[in-house]
Amino acid sequence: MNYEKKIPLILDGDPGHDDAIAWVIAASDPRFEIKAITTVAGNQTLAKVSENARKIAALLGLDVEVAKGREVPLIADLITGGDYHGTTGLDGPVLPDPQHPYSSLSAVEMMAKVLQESEEPVIIVATGPQTNVAALLLTHPELKEKIRLISTMGGGLRNGNWTSTAEFNLLNDPEAAYIEYHAGVPLQMCGLDVTEQAVIYPEEWQKIRELHNPVAETVAGWLDFFSIKLKELGWDGVTLHDPCAVLSLVHPEIFTMNDYYVEIVLDGEYTRGMTMADYKGTTKNKPNCRAVTGIDREKFVECLIEACSRFGKEEQA
Ligand code: RIB
Ligand code: CA
């Protein structure tokens, strides 16, 4: 991906500790221009994740509007992930109350506005249920050509995490994912295959804390909190799901990627929300996504530490 011109980004998510860290990485990279933040219910209710989004934008010094999206999935009932992210959806470090008002536009209207006004095709980083993206694709098919890529966190070609077969984001709104995977737009899937390898350990995020800038200290605090529930489940580190959807854009060399036709399963008591890759060409369909399936974990952590270090440099300048 060439970066002669800044790449316009829309950050759509349900922050959520790992969404927040993904947004830190995006905000740290001068090759990106974050045009808007849009929120979707998932880790917590729409109201809570939207409040978190405004606080994260303020922490990162992003002069962008936050536009609220869908409160509920297209058809399914909402599943929230409070146990993992706490009652606020971003428990841990207390962030200043944001000054930014919410946009008067909905998430879909904001996405459409950014796409319409952007000279350059836009990357949408979608790290929650894919509800807003699906709504955009349904209501503005004419804007598909302005989408450079939809970089998603969701799915899992080998296993799920909310059920044995389905990952939380896509299980929350399988219909939205189906629309997205059948829309014919450039799509990157960071599923559990790669994100469960993207683990950071306490001694590594201690290095982030020791950067001693407000963003780095907040990231370390988020990781402290996010590790609590994961430790109960037997993880000895934190799986950084959503950051993969950003870091794979700027450091593709540390990831393994394969183009597959991936089907979204909508039915079955035990299979709804599953992502099935057609490894054998059974469907005779051409690939519809680039699946990110591997990572150099140590380099991933180095990139995260480097991203956090950038928030202290302006102060030193
Ligand atoms: O399954 C992991 C995904 O669910 C991540 O996006 C996390 O933030 C939660 O939304
Ligand atoms: Ca998320």
Side-chain angles (χ1 to χ4, degrees):
M1 195 169 284
N2 70 19
Y3 287 96
E4 283 155 29
K5 294 179 182 167
K6 277 187 180 279
I7 302 274
L9 284 192
I10 295 171
L11 301 177
D12 179 81
D14 58 341
H17 295 76
D18 53 334
D19 303 76
I21 295 171
W23 295 1
V24 166
I25 296 169
S28 76
D29 198 310
R31 293 172 288 188
F32 290 134
E33 181 183 359
I34 299 170
K35 306 293 274 187
I37 289 176
T38 53
T39 56
V40 60
N43 282 320
Q44 262 299 349
T45 61
L46 180 67
K48 290 183 176 181
V49 301
S50 301
E51 188 64 3
N52 295 337
R54 288 205 304 167
K55 290 183 176 179
I56 297 162
L59 172 74
L60 299 177
L62 294 177
D63 185 18
V64 294
E65 291 194 292
V66 173
K68 293 182 185 177
R70 298 261 312 178
E71 286 200 79
V72 291
L74 295 182
I75 294 177
D77 294 330
L78 176 64
I79 309 167
T80 54
D83 285 2
Y84 288 84
H85 301 275
T87 50
T88 68
L90 193 63
D91 281 17
V94 177
L95 299 180
D97 283 335
Q99 305 311 312
H100 254 41
Y102 288 113
S103 170
S104 58
L105 299 179
S106 71
V108 174
E109 290 163 340
M110 176 62 81
M111 287 174 161
K113 180 173 182 288
V114 169
L115 292 175
Q116 284 157 351
E117 294 175 356
S118 180
E119 287 176 19
E120 293 296 313
V122 177
I123 294 180
I124 300 173
V125 176
T127 55
Q130 303 297 303
T131 312
N132 292 336
V133 173
L136 171 73
L137 295 169
L138 286 174
T139 53
H140 291 280
E142 77 287 355
L143 292 175
K144 286 182 183 178
E145 62 189 19
K146 296 298 290 293
I147 298 173
R148 180 173 181 154
L149 178 71
I150 305 175
S151 183
T152 69
M153 190 281 140
L157 301 181
R158 302 282 184 215
N159 57 275
N161 60 0
W162 207 258
T163 69
S164 300
T165 54
E167 177 275 328
F168 177 80
N169 285 342
L170 299 201
L171 178 63
N172 232 312
D173 199 339
E175 282 72 24
Y178 186 92
I179 289 162
E180 182 178 57
Y181 276 67
H182 287 258
V185 296
L187 182 62
Q188 179 172 280
M189 170 191 172
C190 291
L192 298 173
D193 317 280
V194 64
T195 69
E196 288 184 339
Q197 297 177 56
V199 178
I200 187 170
Y201 295 102
E203 65 275 13
E204 292 171 325
W205 77 72
Q206 182 58 22
K207 294 176 188 170
I208 294 176
R209 194 187 322 274
E210 288 166 3
L211 291 169
H212 292 310
N213 70 60
V215 172
E217 286 163 352
T218 303
V219 167
W222 285 335
L223 289 164
D224 290 341
F225 180 86
F226 200 24
S227 67
I228 297 168
K229 178 71 181 176
L230 290 171
K231 200 176 290 180
E232 287 170 17
L233 295 175
W235 290 89
D236 52 8
V238 171
T239 44
L240 285 172
H241 302 288
D242 297 335
C244 291
V246 175
L247 221 47
S248 54
L249 300 174
V250 289
H251 289 290
E253 74 280 0
I254 70 170
F255 292 89
T256 305
M257 306 179 181
N258 297 88
D259 293 346
Y260 292 127
Y261 177 75
V262 172
E263 190 55 277
I264 308 296
V265 178
L266 298 177
D267 51 12
E269 186 178 354
Y270 303 112
T271 53
R272 177 165 163 80
M274 181 178 173
T275 46
M276 183 213 77
D278 182 10
Y279 300 116
K280 303 292 185 189
T282 313
T283 66
K284 308 264 189 291
N285 292 326
K286 288 190 295 188
N288 58 351
C289 76
R290 173 150 296 172
V292 185
T293 54
I295 192 172
D296 179 325
R297 190 201 71 81
E298 286 74 17
K299 289 214 173 85
F300 176 81
V301 171
E302 284 168 21
C303 291
L304 175 57
I305 295 170
E306 157 62 18
C308 292
S309 73
R310 292 178 184 170
F311 289 90
K313 288 175 180 153
E314 314 87 83
E315 284 162 11
Q316 291 156 11

